[in-house]
Amino acid sequence: LNHVKAMQLFRAAADRGDARGQAMIALCLLKTASEALEDDLKTGFRYAKLSSDQGYTLGHFLLGKVYYFGMGVEQRPDEVIRLFTIAIASGGLPERNNSFMREVIAELSA
């Protein structure tokens, strides 16, 4: 595995407007808030938002996580619920992600 080359290819796709490439860059950059650098969080947020704005399910999930955990941005429970609801309805994510999103929606809706 060559992570540097993978990032270059993801970034090239993302910069051409590819929603999957944008989501993959966001996924790589966001990691966890405690491990990521502030610039990585800002860039990861930007790419997650671009991917989500194109209707890409992984983009909705990642952007929801950014807002839920406050990864370089203010926490936005309303956006988390909206994005996670869309992601669950869109399908295509692993069940562990769907379970996480359902739990978060229940927590924030209580």
Side-chain angles (χ1 to χ4, degrees):
L1 295 173
N2 186 333
H3 294 286
V4 172
K5 185 64 174 177
M7 287 290 287
Q8 289 172 343
L9 294 171
F10 289 146
R11 192 174 299 272
D15 290 342
R16 284 194 321 268
D18 181 76
R20 183 172 190 267
Q22 292 163 344
M24 295 306 294
I25 283 287
L27 184 65
C28 292
L29 291 175
L30 293 171
K31 304 173 205 154
T32 65
S34 63
E35 295 175 7
L37 302 172
E38 187 65 29
D39 286 345
D40 288 347
L41 293 176
K42 288 179 183 176
T43 304
F45 168 78
R46 184 171 59 85
Y47 279 116
K49 180 144 179 38
L50 288 169
S51 180
S52 178
D53 287 349
Q54 292 188 64
Y56 194 63
T57 304
L58 182 58
H60 296 315
F61 174 69
L62 293 171
L63 188 57
K65 282 183 65 174
V66 168
Y67 284 131
Y68 179 66
F69 290 110
M71 299 169 74
V73 298
E74 186 176 320
Q75 290 179 303
R76 302 245 339 250
D78 58 323
E79 277 297 288
V80 174
I81 292 170
R82 185 183 75 79
L83 291 162
F84 281 2
T85 300
I86 293 168
I88 291 168
S90 299
L93 293 178
E95 183 52 36
R96 70 180 181 279
N97 293 350
N98 291 331
S99 294
F100 169 76
M101 290 187 288
R102 284 191 293 272
E103 289 173 17
V104 167
I105 290 169
E107 169 196 323
L108 296 176
S109 297

